[in-house]
Amino acid sequence: MTPGRRSSTFTRLLRHGFTDPSAAERLLDGPELDPVRNDPVLLEALGATADPDLALHGLVRLLEAQNGSAAPRELTDTLIAAKPLRDRLLGVLGASAALADHLARHPSDWQALVTYEPRDLHPGVAEFERGLAEATDPVSLRVAYRRCLLSIAARDVCGTTDVAQTAAELADLATATLRAALAMAQASAPEDAAACRLAVIAMGKCGGHELNYVSDVDVIFVAEATDGTSEAKALRSATKLASHLMRICSETTVEGSIWPVDANLRPEGRNGPLVRTLSSHVAYYQRWAKTWEFQALLKARPVAGDQDLGRAYVDALDPLVWKAAERDNFVADVQKMRRRVVENIPVTEIERELKLGPGGLRDVEFAVQLLQLVHGRTDPSLRSGTTLDALQALAAGGYVGREDAARLDEAYRFLRSMEHRIQLYRLRRTHLVPEAEEDLRRLGRSMGLRAEPVADLNREWKRHTGVVRRLHEKLFYRPLLDAVAQLAPGEARLSPEAARERLVALGYADPAAALRHLEALASGVTRKAAIQRTLMPVLLGWFADSADPDAGLLNFRKVSDALGKTPWYLRLLRDEGAAAENLARVLSAGRLAPDLLMRAPEAVALLGQGDGSGLKPRDRAQLEQEILAAVGRAENAEQGVTAARGVRRRELFRITATDIVGSYGTETIPAEADQGALVDRVGAAVSDLTAATLAGTLRAVVRGGWGDTLPTRFAIIGMGRFGGHELGYGSDADVLFVHEPQDGVDEHEAAAAANKVVAEMRRLLQLPSADPPLLIDADLRPEGKSGPLVRTLKSYGAYYRRWSLVWESQALLRAEPVAGDADLGRRFTELIDPLRYPPQGLAEDAVREIRRLKARMEAERLPRGADPKLHTKLGPGGLSDVEWTVQLFQLRHGHQVPGLRTTRTRQALSAVRAAGLLSAEETEILDEAWVLATRVRNAVMLVRGRAGDTFPTEPRELAAVGRYLGYGAGHAGDMLDAYRRTTRRARTVVEELFYGDGA
């Protein structure tokens, strides 16, 4: 060849899709291909395969392996003369290195592809049994199995069969193989075979008649004794036979293995007996089976062994399968199982996971199975174990929209085809899309994408997974809208009864009301109704994910009615993906957030700000600036406080929405893992908001009564949770009021003005209105309710010097100025510091007094009939236990340890640990209990709309508290157990530290 010029063969090889034409040229020049080297038919046929290089290499190996001088020539002559053989053989060699290896080891097996009778085009179990009939041991069974597999792959890659037919053939071949393996096991142990009737039930994809090239074959074994044999002996014999069957298929030999036989779907899984009698199976499913086990039984199909027993197994369990949708939390259980599968995928693989990843095959399968279980109770046409057949039946019955079903069918077929071709290459069990360019190229070409195979494959793959992602959940909800909407002529719809079934399965307690809401929202031909029809399927799913779907839907209707004519509302929900999900979470999480929203529905806009700022609580400076500006614009004090309360209502909604979304998580952002961070965020935000509201109210009252200057300096001191930045949604504002007459002002005039300010503030903040009241509690003042509401700084000093009790020093640990004259607040703090951080620590009699007070409080204040172990404030290990223990450390060591001089419980607890006064384990136990108890109190307020210190007793409310705390449907008992366990550990620490010598 002239230097610098390519040979014409080299160029033709490139044109025909070879990636290594130099190596291909050497193979073509070899002696094996001498008879056909120049025949253009060969090169054309190689170029039509998924991987021409692989196909050529496999062909040369096959020719080299032919025995006898005439055998290679017979193969090459047939290859050129018979196009069907040429396409089948080269197609397989270009798609599967593993089958090329098989042909090289068994060079005469290519003859299986030469001629096809009409019946061979779509063989069934009987044809495959004939193909395996000569196998007498596990090794020969593997050879015969791969010979049959060779014919299935040939029909697949040539397009003779589609993906569904190929999957069915693979399942039929598996059936024939299980029968052959069982026959071998019985032949090797005739006594065991005579002692029992054994049936093999296929499950999973084999049972569903939709098997992969390489997959575990899921089975369940059921046995009965033959006449004259005891049940115990029969089960021992059946277990031996079943175990031998599994080894015949699974063990590695010189010819490799066939596939693992997996019996873990049996009752009790790996922990249960391998074989049970029929009555034992039925008893288990009646009493103990979980929802997913009934879902698995959808695919159950007798395939080997005693056919009568196999049919009796299916007949006995079928009625139980179709009652599964009546179980509590049925839909939630199925969806939770799906989420668990996704969560277990390694992060590095999730984007390449074809089967289990988002938008993958399992999404389609789960959605179809869910609908089958809900509606198959009353419609036997839906009871197919095959995914695509079931999907077609669902569409025909109106349970799924026809267009949605067609798009899912197309996506599922494409993804299954990808899965088949990936596994066919090496005959290895994998569902990961390869990363190497050459593998993607072969995969793309095998799917018929020849122009730009890699780019086209990636585009089509992402398109189909996108379709599945968008549709798999809507599949369940969209027909509910069609049931109340106008449909095109001939389009099937859900019957009212089917719609009711579906809503009940989703957890709706009043399906009739839910349908009325859907009709009101989505019927009609207006643009508004059209947008609602687009939104509602996914919103219904989010509502169903809550403890009270009925409330979520009702609240959504109320908000939509209030904002329906506002142009931005539906546009926000449609175009801002996060806004719709956030709104659904907020509306179905309890009463408080929806109540706040209903009073000013325009606050919905906060949920959709793309940068997330809408759900970020504002700091005190921002809040004060807005409130003071609003007060400044008001004409009088009442209008000013009304404006301040309006801001407070809106910001309370922002805080509750942030808390709910953070606690529930969204489809794109997981729930906040750090429970302490959630508590701190709520406590700080509500405390800042309360402080800003008080500052605005004080300004409004002073302006309304005295203009710009009050005759006395005036400061508000936060106490309790307010001073500790730990306010909950239902907390009152514990405060002290302190004043100091302006220079030259009479003390009586100053006191009268200060008292008038306090009275007016309390009145205006509690006026009946659409805004929630802010209750001011000043009972922690000197002399309690018997003492004056307001004192001068001098009066506080005199009282604390002469009369102060130890409980008041303890209460002052949480004191912090929150509004009014900053300098006066600072001087008040300086006044009380020696009381709350005594230089000499705490005397033993003071310690005993604190312990006595706490014991009396626990005995007297706990509500009658309340379960002490579930009381978040006064119960063992609750808030009071942790806070009093921390405060005892502060009183004793605060003077020496600067870190203890804080009003915040968790900060003080960390400082105790840092000072070496508490172990890390003890600190963690106390912190966990305090955070959990605080979260429960916040949850109760969010759910019930009113404050409470104990868990609700109403089941839906209790479930909603559980959902907020991260517990799924049906796990309220686990939540209560976890609370008792956490607080019990904390109480043990408290008894040692508070009542012992630890603090």
Side-chain angles (χ1 to χ4, degrees), residues 306-379:
D306 191 300
Q307 289 297 300
D308 290 339
L309 179 57
R311 280 192 293 272
Y313 173 91
V314 172
D315 291 344
L317 292 182
D318 244 16
L320 301 180
V321 173
W322 303 112
K323 289 180 181 177
E326 298 171 7
R327 295 162 65 95
D328 289 342
N329 306 309
F330 162 71
V331 172
D333 283 348
V334 175
Q335 292 173 333
K336 182 172 66 177
M337 177 65 70
R338 173 68 189 119
R339 284 194 295 269
R340 188 179 302 160
V341 168
V342 174
E343 288 164 2
N344 288 332
I345 303 172
V347 175
T348 54
E349 296 180 358
I350 193 164
E351 290 301 320
R352 297 189 294 124
E353 176 57 73
L354 200 60
K355 175 181 177 182
L356 303 177
L361 294 162
R362 188 58 59 86
D363 275 348
V364 181
E365 293 159 1
F366 262 64
V368 168
Q369 290 163 20
L370 194 59
L371 289 167
Q372 285 182 277
L373 288 168
V374 170
H375 299 297
R377 291 177 291 175
T378 55
D379 189 344

Side-chain angles (χ1 to χ4, degrees), residues 95-216:
S96 178
L99 288 177
D101 292 342
H102 171 82
L103 284 168
R105 288 194 308 275
H106 305 280
S108 63
D109 276 5
W110 68 270
Q111 303 270 5
L113 304 178
V114 174
T115 57
Y116 281 157
E117 297 296 329
R119 69 174 183 272
D120 293 326
L121 292 178
H122 299 293
V125 176
E127 287 76 23
F128 288 125
E129 284 187 296
R130 284 197 295 273
L132 303 177
E134 296 179 6
T136 56
D137 56 49
V139 173
S140 59
L141 181 62
R142 281 152 176 71
V143 175
Y145 174 85
R146 287 205 169 75
R147 189 181 304 121
C148 293
L149 193 65
L150 186 67
S151 66
I152 293 175
R155 286 187 291 276
D156 180 14
V157 298
C158 291
T160 306
T161 54
D162 65 15
V163 66
Q165 292 167 325
T166 300
E169 289 184 15
L170 288 166
D172 285 341
L173 176 56
T175 297
T177 306
L178 288 170
R179 291 178 182 178
L182 179 58
M184 289 181 188
Q186 290 170 328
S188 68
E191 289 186 7
D192 289 327
C196 64
R197 298 164 58 207
L198 176 65
V200 184
I201 312 297
M203 304 288 285
K205 282 190 158 41
C206 184
H209 225 224
E210 50 189 15
L211 197 61
N212 296 329
Y213 275 103
V214 188
S215 174
D216 292 357

Side-chain angles (χ1 to χ4, degrees), residues 900-912:
L900 289 173
R901 298 172 207 158
T902 174
T903 62
R904 307 181 188 215
T905 302
R906 297 188 73 213
Q907 282 188 8
L909 186 57
S910 296
V912 175

Side-chain angles (χ1 to χ4, degrees), residues 61-69 71-72 74-75 103 106-108 110-111:
R61 288 178 64 205
L62 177 57
L63 287 167
E64 289 173 341
Q66 295 301 306
N67 298 315
S69 57
E74 180 188 1
L75 173 56
L103 284 168
H106 305 280
S108 63
W110 68 270
Q111 303 270 5

Side-chain angles (χ1 to χ4, degrees), residues 31-39 59-60 62-82 85 89 107 110-111 114:
E32 295 81 13
L33 290 174
D34 185 61
V36 293
R37 180 181 303 119
N38 296 317
D39 195 315
L59 178 61
V60 171
L62 177 57
L63 287 167
E64 289 173 341
Q66 295 301 306
N67 298 315
S69 57
R73 188 58 185 252
E74 180 188 1
L75 173 56
T76 54
D77 286 351
T78 310
L79 192 68
I80 296 302
L85 169 71
L89 178 58
W110 68 270
Q111 303 270 5
V114 174

Side-chain angles (χ1 to χ4, degrees), residues 827-958:
R827 286 186 285 131
F828 179 86
T829 301
E830 292 171 353
L831 170 69
I832 64 172
D833 274 353
L835 287 168
R836 55 184 179 174
Y837 312 125
Q840 306 306 319
L842 211 56
E844 281 307 309
D845 60 339
V847 173
R848 284 194 297 272
E849 176 65 11
I850 288 175
R851 289 170 177 161
R852 187 186 65 80
L853 284 170
K854 185 171 188 322
R856 192 179 78 183
M857 182 178 72
E858 289 178 7
E860 295 178 358
R861 294 192 184 178
L862 196 68
R864 182 172 298 176
D867 182 350
K869 294 180 180 178
L870 294 176
H871 198 280
T872 59
K873 183 176 182 180
L874 301 176
L879 296 170
S880 176
D881 266 2
V882 177
E883 290 166 1
W884 282 57
T885 301
V886 171
Q887 289 160 12
L888 187 56
F889 275 108
Q890 290 181 284
L891 288 166
R892 280 184 153 179
H893 305 287
H895 184 72
Q896 292 84 17
V897 181
L900 289 173
R901 298 172 207 158
T902 174
T903 62
R904 307 181 188 215
T905 302
R906 297 188 73 213
Q907 282 188 8
L909 186 57
S910 296
V912 175
R913 165 74 185 98
L917 302 171
L918 201 58
S919 72
E921 182 183 6
E922 290 170 325
T923 303
E924 184 179 343
I925 288 171
L926 293 178
D927 185 70
E928 182 183 5
W930 189 88
V931 166
L932 178 57
T934 305
R935 289 269 290 157
V936 171
R937 290 181 101 203
N938 285 344
V940 170
M941 183 66 186
L942 283 170
V943 169
R944 303 181 71 191
R946 60 182 187 274
D949 291 315
T950 60
F951 288 88
T953 55
E954 198 279 319
R956 283 219 168 192
E957 292 181 346
L958 186 63

Side-chain angles (χ1 to χ4, degrees), residues 661-662 664-673:
V661 172
Y664 274 58
T666 66
E667 290 186 350
T668 55
I669 302 172
E672 172 68 66

Side-chain angles (χ1 to χ4, degrees), residues 70 95 144 213 262 276 384 387 399 415 435 497 577 718 884 919 936 938:
Y213 275 103
D262 188 340
R276 289 175 183 257
S384 170
T387 301
Y399 303 100
L415 297 174
E435 295 180 288
E497 179 59 25
W884 282 57
S919 72
V936 171
N938 285 344

